[in-house]
Amino acid sequence: MGIFRNFAPDFRPSGHFRDFMKKEPKIITMGQIDLTAAGGFKAPDLGRLPVIATRNLVLFPGVAIPIALVRESSLTVAKKAQEGKLTIGLCCQTDPRTENPTNHNDVAPYGVFVEILQIFDLPDGTQSAFLRATGKFKVKGDAKEASLAGSPLNLSVSRVSENMVGTSENSKTLAELICHAYKELAAHADSDHIQAINPDLFNDPAEVINNISTHLAAPAEAKIDLLSTFRVINRGEKLLRLLNDELQKLSIAKDIMERAREELTQEQREGFMRRQMEIMQRELYGDLDDVEQLYKQAEKVKMSSQATEAFHKGLAQLRRLNPSSPDYSVVYNYLTTLLELPWRVQTDLNTSLPDAKEELEVSHYGMSKVKERIIEQVAVTMANPTGKAPILCLVGAPGVGKTSLGESMARALGRNYQRVSLGGVSDEAEIRGHRRTYIGAMPGRIIDALRRAKSSNPLLLLDEIDKLSRDIKGDPSSALLEVLDPEQNYKFHDNFVDVDFDLSKVLFIATANTLDTIPRPLLDRMEVVEVPGYLLQEKIEIARRHLVPRVRNIGGVYLDKLTFSDEALSFIIESYTSESGVRQLEKTLSSIARKLLVKVMSQEEVSLDINTPETVRDILGPERYSPQRYESMSVTGVVTGLAWTSHGGEILFIESSLTSGKGEKLTLTGNLGDVMKESATIALQYVRSHAEYLGIPSSKFEENNLHIHVPEGAVPKDGPSAGITMAVSIASTYTGRMVRPRLAMTGEITLRGRVMPVGGIKEKILAAKRAGITDIIICEENRKDVTQIEQAYLEGVEFHYVKTVDEVLSIALQ
């Protein structure tokens, strides 16, 4: 801040005026104006005094200065006052933003009488007036009528006499101190106004005090207070205090400069200005721009009391830090994170269940059981928004629509949606956040998702929850226990935020491909909803409704007429994809669209009607997959089993054969896991212990070695589901009896011959139907799983429910 008056546009010492004086000295100069001879002015009309209002200029008695006349009304009043030798008033506005003051409330309670000595036309087309203050008045109120036409502000005033009051020695000493302080300030000031006043030219202490008071750059309120002071000597004492305050500020600034110079080295010379800013920042307790901005933002955020306390504590810490310090960015990021969190921000939820049903029906085809469970969840959430909703875990093969189901559910509920990818996460800090003890600390993925969701009641999709891992950095699945427990998550504690955040209003949905890798405590906090694979007809319908319109957009107008027949889609699904979902199918259709787009844009003749397998083969080349079909075998020992993989259900063939030997060797091939090898051993032991019942001579075991093979050796295989399949294969080999045609089976066996239930029944049934199987043997305890499957999946298949291996053999062997 400069120490001299920087007047507002309405009233300021004019640079054009000074230039004009230099160019036209013959007309008039300040030194040539004879103030003592400028008499003949009429006494002021105290009852209806015309007043010119200034924006921030406070003029004191006895002072003569030039001012610029910007307002048209001010120019009119000044000209009439000069012509009529009238004494008018000059008052500072209480609010400089007021454009046209019209009553006493718009101006200060004290002002001065002024005489307009001369008005000049300046080269820039504006006018400037040279005026002199002759006395002081106090505003009593508004005048009832105007004494000067064209004056918008007319006041009723009373004259106030100035009184020095004090010995001449005291007054002289005070004036000398003021002059000394003023000269010291002027020596450090960089302003054109230094030449406007020389204190040594004034002999009267009152003139010194009033002239310096006029030119000192201080707030208008402080100068109005000086003007309202009755005794001039008291005014001088206040003025001296203001000058000393300015000198102290200059001293502090000088110390800062000296300290910066002491720290300066030859290598740091280029950063001189930056170091000045840093030292000033330390003196002023931080970067006020950042601090003030954060403080203003915090006034608009309704944080919890705990978060508010932490925020103000961090804000005080930020004030004390150097902006170039590494800790500054950590604290700043922490405070911005607190401000960006949706503490009490909630979105309005949808309350129309029919609209929610329509959203799910439009976005997803089939999976009626899954949609039924989701609609139940939606209904419960709509009926009781503040209740503790169960956490659903959608389990199914890749590409069956688990993630898109979560997104559709969010739209159905009217909640904001954010996806939290957990695949490959092995650090607990990814869930709970990093502690703010090092550079690069950040909140965990849950808090970050809430920040992006911009509401405290979103739907968060925890994607690939089965692919969490653990290492020396901690176990993220254990950290999720607090997140997914409604009894705890209302006070979720993120290490970065370091205050509790309420997650009870968040609706969590998890997705997984398998439950085997999910820890049991975490699984107990979720309700598992199995998302099955699609039948051939369902895939065709999904392609027709969703995938084909999507791939048309690849080519824009070039592929508007691209169509696929059901026969072509069926051929693509069976010969170029191998999955339970439709992700590979979409990629294959996109491949066809890209190849056609190239031909169309190359102006080659090509048909956009893909209606035969031959057309598909011409575009994509030879088939990539041979559809899994039942193979009719005329040899013993070959049995069809059913398996479940992360890609859905599959059929597999188990082959057994005998070779001459001592009967001590069991050979297992086909890249089998330990569990599957154990199943083979148990199956062989069962057949040997029931040899007499099966009509197998004991010598056959002693004279032959057994070899069991599962084709596709490059694919790892494991699990207990092939237990009964191996038992039937071994029994068929040793007895020489053929296996019933178009029969498949799945089930675990025990050493006593009991058949145990297995999982993945629906996927296995789909695989059997694709392969042309008509009969399936499964455990009696799996009957409940079959009854929950839609009838469309069961048509054309007969189920045989068994409890023992004896029942299996009686059905399977001819």
Side-chain angles (χ1 to χ4, degrees):
M1 180 178 72
I3 63 168
F4 296 101
R5 165 59 55 193
N6 183 15
F7 297 104
D10 213 358
F11 290 92
R12 62 187 181 276
S14 172
H16 289 292
F17 178 83
R18 289 190 295 273
D19 295 340
F20 182 70
M21 292 297 123
K22 294 175 183 178
K23 294 178 181 178
E24 303 291 342
K26 294 181 179 180
I27 300 176
I28 190 168
T29 65
M30 293 188 194
Q32 293 171 333
I33 297 178
D34 185 3
L35 300 180
T36 60
F41 282 88
K42 298 177 181 179
D45 186 349
L46 300 182
R48 47 179 187 168
L49 180 70
V51 175
I52 294 177
T54 65
R55 293 186 188 273
N56 57 6
L57 169 65
V58 180
L59 188 59
F60 288 77
V63 179
I65 61 170
I67 65 172
L69 299 173
V70 179
R71 291 188 181 125
E72 191 67 30
S73 59
S74 300
L75 178 60
T76 301
V77 172
K79 286 183 176 180
K80 290 184 178 181
Q82 183 192 23
E83 293 170 359
K85 291 287 185 174
L86 300 176
T87 299
I88 61 173
L90 188 78
C91 270
C92 182
Q93 297 177 197
T94 54
D95 185 355
R97 295 172 297 181
T98 303
E99 289 298 329
N100 295 298
T102 57
N103 60 70
H104 73 281
N105 293 321
D106 294 331
V107 295
Y110 288 89
V112 291
F113 298 109
V114 295
E115 297 171 349
I116 307 299
L117 303 180
Q118 194 159 349
I119 297 176
F120 305 97
D121 293 324
L122 300 179
D124 64 349
T126 61
Q127 284 77 34
S128 181
F130 196 85
L131 51 82
R132 175 181 61 185
T134 59
K136 185 172 73 172
F137 64 78
K138 181 177 181 181
V139 178
K140 297 170 62 179
D142 296 322
K144 295 182 180 180
E145 59 180 354
S147 62
L148 186 65
S151 174
L153 181 61
N154 299 276
L155 302 177
S156 172
V157 303
S158 60
R159 186 183 296 274
V160 178
S161 300
E162 294 273 291
N163 190 344
M164 192 70 194
V165 183
T167 65
S168 59
E169 285 298 321
N170 289 344
S171 301
K172 186 176 181 180
T173 301
L174 178 61
E176 289 176 352
L177 291 174
I178 292 173
C179 287
H180 177 74
Y182 180 82
K183 289 178 181 178
E184 190 173 349
L185 284 173
H188 294 86
D190 181 16
S191 172
D192 292 337
H193 301 158
I194 293 176
Q195 304 300 327
I197 177 174
N198 183 356
D200 295 334
L201 298 178
F202 305 107
N203 297 319
D204 182 17
E207 291 183 355
V208 173
I209 293 171
N210 287 343
N211 274 276
I212 293 179
S213 295
T214 299
H215 290 86
L216 179 67
E221 293 81 3
K223 299 185 72 173
I224 291 172
D225 180 58
L226 289 175
L227 181 62
S228 64
T229 304
F230 176 67
R231 295 181 177 87
V232 178
I233 193 168
N234 293 341
R235 180 184 301 159
E237 291 170 353
K238 290 183 180 181
L239 175 61
L240 185 59
R241 283 196 293 270
L242 286 175
L243 292 170
N244 287 333
D245 288 343
E246 290 292 340
L247 283 172
Q248 188 175 2
K249 293 177 184 177
L250 283 176
S251 177
I252 294 173
K254 183 178 179 181
D255 290 343
I256 294 173
M257 293 287 291
E258 290 299 327
R259 206 176 310 165
R261 289 192 183 95
E262 290 174 3
E263 295 179 4
L264 191 65
T265 64
Q266 186 65 31
E267 293 78 16
Q268 297 170 323
R269 193 167 298 278
E270 294 180 357
F272 174 74
M273 294 303 297
R274 179 178 60 83
R275 286 188 173 276
Q276 280 186 305
M277 293 296 296
E278 291 175 356
I279 296 172
M280 292 180 66
Q281 183 65 38
R282 294 192 203 105
E283 293 294 332
L284 298 175
Y285 302 103
D287 187 346
L288 293 181
D289 289 339
D290 284 347
V291 172
E292 290 300 326
Q293 185 178 7
L294 291 172
Y295 184 78
K296 289 180 180 179
Q297 292 177 5
E299 292 178 342
K300 302 176 183 178
V301 179
K302 298 179 180 179
M303 292 184 284
S304 64
S305 58
Q306 187 183 19
T308 301
E309 181 181 352
F311 177 83
H312 288 294
K313 183 178 178 181
L315 201 63
Q317 182 182 1
L318 189 69
R319 291 179 185 273
R320 298 190 294 270
L321 291 174
N322 189 327
S324 62
S325 168
D327 291 336
Y328 186 91
S329 62
V330 174
V331 176
Y332 184 82
N333 290 337
Y334 169 66
L335 296 177
T336 54
T337 300
L338 284 179
L339 294 177
E340 290 173 357
L341 287 177
W343 291 98
R344 297 178 184 177
V345 180
Q346 296 186 29
T347 56
D348 296 331
L349 303 182
N350 179 25
T351 57
S352 174
L353 190 60
D355 290 346
K357 287 183 177 180
E358 183 180 0
E359 170 64 34
L360 288 175
E361 289 296 334
V362 169
S363 58
H364 291 82
Y365 177 78
M367 56 177 77
S368 57
K369 289 286 185 182
V370 178
K371 288 193 288 190
E372 179 182 346
R373 177 62 188 90
I374 290 177
I375 287 297
E376 293 173 359
Q377 180 83 355
V378 170
V380 170
T381 306
M382 287 181 177
N384 186 12
T386 60
K388 298 176 180 178
I391 296 157
L392 301 183
C393 181
L394 306 178
V395 181
V400 295
K402 301 183 297 296
T403 303
S404 59
L405 269 172
E407 192 170 357
S408 296
M409 190 172 176
R411 290 196 299 269
L413 286 168
R415 293 175 181 253
N416 293 348
Y417 169 82
Q418 283 296 322
R419 174 177 166 270
V420 181
S421 178
L422 299 178
V425 172
S426 60
D427 188 355
E428 179 187 355
E430 292 287 336
I431 306 298
R432 291 189 182 275
H434 303 81
R435 300 189 184 276
R436 301 189 315 276
T437 55
Y438 60 91
I439 299 172
M442 62 183 68
R445 298 196 180 196
I446 303 300
I447 290 295
D448 185 60
L450 284 168
R451 180 171 61 179
R452 288 183 280 113
K454 301 185 185 303
S455 70
S456 60
N457 62 339
L459 186 149
L460 295 188
L461 184 78
L462 305 179
D463 207 12
E464 310 290 357
I465 198 172
D466 59 320
K467 296 178 178 58
L468 289 169
S469 58
R470 59 183 301 177
D471 57 15
I472 58 173
K473 297 179 182 178
D475 184 4
S477 62
S478 298
L480 279 175
L481 295 178
E482 180 186 2
V483 175
L484 300 182
D485 190 348
E487 301 298 328
Q488 301 181 45
N489 64 11
Y490 70 97
K491 285 189 176 181
F492 175 68
H493 192 86
D494 184 277
N495 292 329
F496 181 85
V497 177
D498 204 25
V499 293
D500 294 338
F501 194 91
D502 186 4
L503 298 181
S504 61
K505 300 179 182 64
V506 179
L507 180 60
F508 290 99
I509 302 292
T511 70
N513 295 131
T514 178
L515 300 177
D516 298 338
T517 56
I518 301 178
R520 181 56 58 182
L522 182 59
L523 191 60
D524 286 343
R525 282 166 168 76
M526 301 184 292
E527 179 183 341
V528 176
V529 178
E530 293 188 1
V531 183
Y534 298 110
L535 294 171
L536 175 62
Q537 292 302 319
E538 289 178 327
K539 289 184 178 182
I540 292 174
E541 189 62 30
I542 291 172
R544 191 167 298 287
R545 290 189 182 189
H546 303 287
L547 304 185
V548 173
R550 201 178 300 169
V551 300
R552 283 198 191 106
N553 294 332
I554 293 176
V557 296
Y558 293 100
L559 299 181
D560 277 347
K561 297 181 180 179
L562 177 63
T563 59
F564 291 84
S565 67
D566 289 353
E567 183 184 6
L569 289 173
S570 176
F571 181 70
I572 293 171
I573 293 167
E574 293 187 333
S575 301
Y576 293 90
T577 67
S578 178
E579 58 176 349
S580 293
V582 292
R583 188 170 294 157
Q584 257 188 333
L585 175 58
E586 183 176 6
K587 292 178 181 178
T588 305
L589 293 176
S590 298
S591 176
I592 293 174
R594 289 193 301 269
K595 293 179 184 298
L596 292 175
L597 178 61
V598 171
K599 293 183 178 181
V600 171
M601 295 184 71
S602 301
Q603 297 183 352
E604 298 180 20
E605 187 174 347
V606 62
S607 174
L608 296 181
D609 294 327
I610 313 300
N611 48 25
T612 64
E614 289 73 20
T615 307
V616 176
R617 193 180 292 111
D618 291 341
I619 298 173
L620 295 177
E623 295 88 332
R624 298 172 192 165
Y625 302 97
S626 298
Q628 287 189 320
R629 296 293 183 186
Y630 169 77
E631 298 179 9
S632 178
M633 296 293 180
S634 58
V635 295
T636 60
V638 180
V639 185
T640 305
L642 299 175
W644 183 89
T645 69
S646 60
H647 297 287
E650 292 182 358
I651 66 169
L652 54 83
F653 298 98
I654 294 182
E655 305 171 350
S656 299
S657 65
L658 299 176
T659 58
S660 299
K662 297 181 180 181
E664 299 175 352
K665 186 177 181 181
L666 171 62
T667 303
L668 300 172
T669 57
N671 200 355
L672 308 183
D674 292 338
V675 177
M676 207 164 182
K677 290 178 180 178
E678 292 173 359
S679 295
T681 304
I682 294 172
L684 176 59
Q685 184 62 33
Y686 176 84
V687 173
R688 294 188 69 164
S689 63
H690 291 74
E692 183 178 352
Y693 171 76
L694 295 172
I696 305 172
S698 58
S699 59
K700 201 164 187 177
F701 294 102
E702 299 170 357
E703 298 171 357
N704 297 281
N705 293 331
L706 179 63
H707 184 172
I708 300 177
H709 175 68
V710 183
E712 299 187 23
V715 180
K717 309 170 190 69
D718 203 2
S721 298
I724 63 173
T725 312
M726 288 186 170
V728 172
S729 177
I730 295 171
S732 173
T733 300
Y734 278 106
T735 60
R737 295 166 61 184
M738 299 290 293
V739 178
R740 182 175 175 176
R742 298 195 177 277
L743 173 71
M745 59 196 71
T746 181
E748 181 182 356
I749 65 169
T750 68
L751 200 58
R752 295 177 296 159
R754 287 187 56 207
V755 178
M756 304 292 290
V758 292
I761 296 299
K762 183 172 183 178
E763 287 76 10
K764 293 175 180 178
I765 293 173
L766 289 177
K769 289 195 66 173
R770 287 196 299 267
I773 299 296
T774 58
D775 293 87
I776 299 177
I777 299 176
I778 58 175
C779 176
E780 174 66 35
E781 294 183 33
N782 284 125
R783 185 190 292 268
K784 62 181 183 299
D785 300 315
V786 176
T787 57
Q788 295 177 5
I789 300 173
E790 293 89 335
Q791 189 61 34
Y793 294 90
L794 307 179
E795 291 178 356
V797 179
E798 182 179 355
F799 292 91
H800 304 272
Y801 301 100
V802 297
K803 296 181 179 179
T804 64
V805 178
D806 290 343
E807 296 178 49
V808 175
L809 296 176
S810 64
I811 296 171
L813 298 180
Q814 292 182 336

